Amino acid sequence: MDLIDRIADLRKRLDAARGEGRTVGFVPTMGAFHEGHRSLMRAARGRHETVVVSLFVNPLQFGPEEDLDRYPRDLSGDLAVAAAEGVDILFAPPVAEMYPGWPAPPATTVSVAGLTDGLCGSARPGHFDGVATVVTKLLAIVGPSTAYFGRKDAQQLAVVRRMAGDLCLPVDVVGCPLVREADGLALSSRNRNLSPAEREAATVIHRGLRAGADLVVAGGERDAGRLRRVVANVLTTEELVRLEYAEVVAADTLTAVDVLDGEVLVAVAARVGGVRLIDNMTVHVGAEGAVVDLGVGVAPDREGLCAAR
Ligand code: AMP
């Protein structure tokens, strides 16, 4: 595996690969790899001759009071993981390579209206502009045929899809299942910053979603407000966990719904100590009843892990 930190070097390498008829699959990340990242690497590895993973803790998507300085970093561990997953190129540019002139922000940014208003967009103003801008730049640098994103960050996936569509970017955006620890906690690089007590308390997030899933599937609940309250109530039972939001929204527009119908996203964000965690599940309600997608456990079978949209 090659470690590349310059845009020009990466372009040269990928132009050559594409010239030989190889398709490029791309996984953008902020590093501190875990099984969620690995699942995306495997999905890309299964479909492309050349797999590129980027590792860039994007300062543009962090607010001034956020955890940029505390964000976990582990380049040597990440190199080993990416190599073990058969990644061809790890692209890890310094900040000045992506944003010459930083800390002055770039003059050109990408902003996706509407989808970024609610959920994490309310609590993190400017966050999704930072995400959309860096993903646009990375796609322009890498030129992949397909880019892989986790459904753990459901709003981010919706924003990237919309942006790629609106800007006619020649890339297929694929969403992959949310991966959880054995006790249900959604894998996140930020979990490394939880104390043992906080790590234990954080499992309440999954328990809240499960309670919501039971209510819908076994209880036949179709009222979005009652579902929201049940999920929120479970999350407020843990002293160490402060609920930021629990919302029930249409999966495509991310706007609030009153009644569960079609594909609905139940999204939550909570602070556990100084760590902000997000999680979600998707509820499909049709004539046949309701099916809930809570993601997959660690070490799932490698086939079929990543569904095309
Ligand atoms: P990050 O490094 O946290 O920016 O995440 C990089 C990519 O990995 C994003 O597309 C995330 O949605 C995805 N990802 C992070 N955690 C998980 C998880 N638990 N399950 C699936 N995908 C994930």
Side-chain angles (χ1 to χ4, degrees):
M1 187 183 71
D2 293 338
L3 174 63
I4 297 181
D5 62 4
R6 299 290 150 192
I7 294 169
D9 294 343
L10 182 65
R11 282 217 170 103
K12 210 158 122 194
R13 177 68 205 280
L14 292 174
D15 283 348
R18 279 185 295 262
E20 290 164 9
R22 295 166 159 264
T23 69
V24 176
F26 177 46
V27 180
T29 81
M30 298 208 298
F33 293 153
H34 51 65
E35 200 61 35
H37 298 112
R38 281 177 177 254
S39 72
L40 303 181
M41 295 175 201
R42 283 177 208 144
R45 180 72 285 164
R47 293 189 194 171
H48 303 275
E49 287 88 13
T50 300
V51 173
V52 181
V53 173
S54 65
L55 193 176
F56 181 62
V57 182
N58 174 32
L60 200 60
Q61 70 187 67
F62 287 79
E65 307 298 320
E66 293 186 354
D67 60 350
L68 177 61
D69 294 338
R70 281 178 292 123
Y71 197 84
R73 290 163 209 250
D74 179 12
L75 181 61
S76 59
D78 288 348
L79 277 167
V81 169
E85 293 297 344
V87 169
D88 297 296
I89 299 168
L90 188 68
F91 176 54
V95 172
E97 184 74 358
M98 292 296 285
Y99 302 120
W102 190 262
T108 305
T109 56
V110 179
S111 185
V112 178
L115 285 176
T116 57
D117 290 345
L119 305 179
C120 290
S122 325
R124 306 186 70 187
H127 167 69
F128 287 111
D129 291 358
V131 170
T133 302
V134 80
V135 172
T136 303
K137 285 173 71 92
L138 288 167
L139 292 173
I141 292 165
V142 176
S145 60
T146 311
Y148 296 82
F149 293 84
R151 293 205 284 269
K152 148 91 175 355
D153 299 271
Q155 188 174 18
Q156 170 173 282
L157 175 59
V159 167
V160 169
R161 274 208 172 121
R162 185 64 197 257
M163 174 203 83
D166 284 356
L167 299 181
C168 305
L169 301 182
V171 64
D172 197 15
V173 175
V174 167
C176 296
L178 189 164
V179 184
R180 298 182 179 283
E181 299 273 15
D183 64 5
L185 181 66
L187 283 155
S188 165
S189 302
R190 290 189 166 96
N191 292 350
R192 295 189 190 195
N193 288 344
L194 296 169
S195 70
E198 290 165 350
R199 168 68 187 76
E200 178 61 32
T203 58
V204 78
I205 299 173
H206 176 246
R207 290 202 300 281
L209 290 173
R210 280 217 81 99
D214 288 348
L215 186 72
V216 173
V217 175
E221 183 63 75
R222 297 293 180 265
D223 181 89
R226 281 197 289 269
L227 168 59
R228 203 198 73 76
R229 279 193 294 280
V230 163
V231 174
N233 284 345
V234 174
L235 264 83
T236 47
T237 58
E238 262 297 344
E239 228 173 83
L240 293 176
V241 176
R242 192 155 47 82
L243 178 66
E244 191 179 280
Y245 68 73
E247 301 286 350
V248 181
V249 298
D252 50 356
T253 60
L254 305 185
T255 51
V257 297
D258 296 328
V259 175
L260 305 185
D261 190 22
E263 197 162 309
V264 169
L265 180 75
V266 182
V268 300
R271 284 194 178 273
V272 188
V275 181
R276 184 175 183 278
L277 299 177
I278 58 171
D279 202 339
N280 70 78
M281 65 181 181
T282 305
V283 183
H284 308 262
V285 180
E288 261 97 84
V291 178
V292 176
D293 178 1
L294 272 155
V296 296
V298 283
D301 91 58
R302 290 181 178 212
E303 299 303 316
L305 189 65
C306 183
R309 70 179 151 166

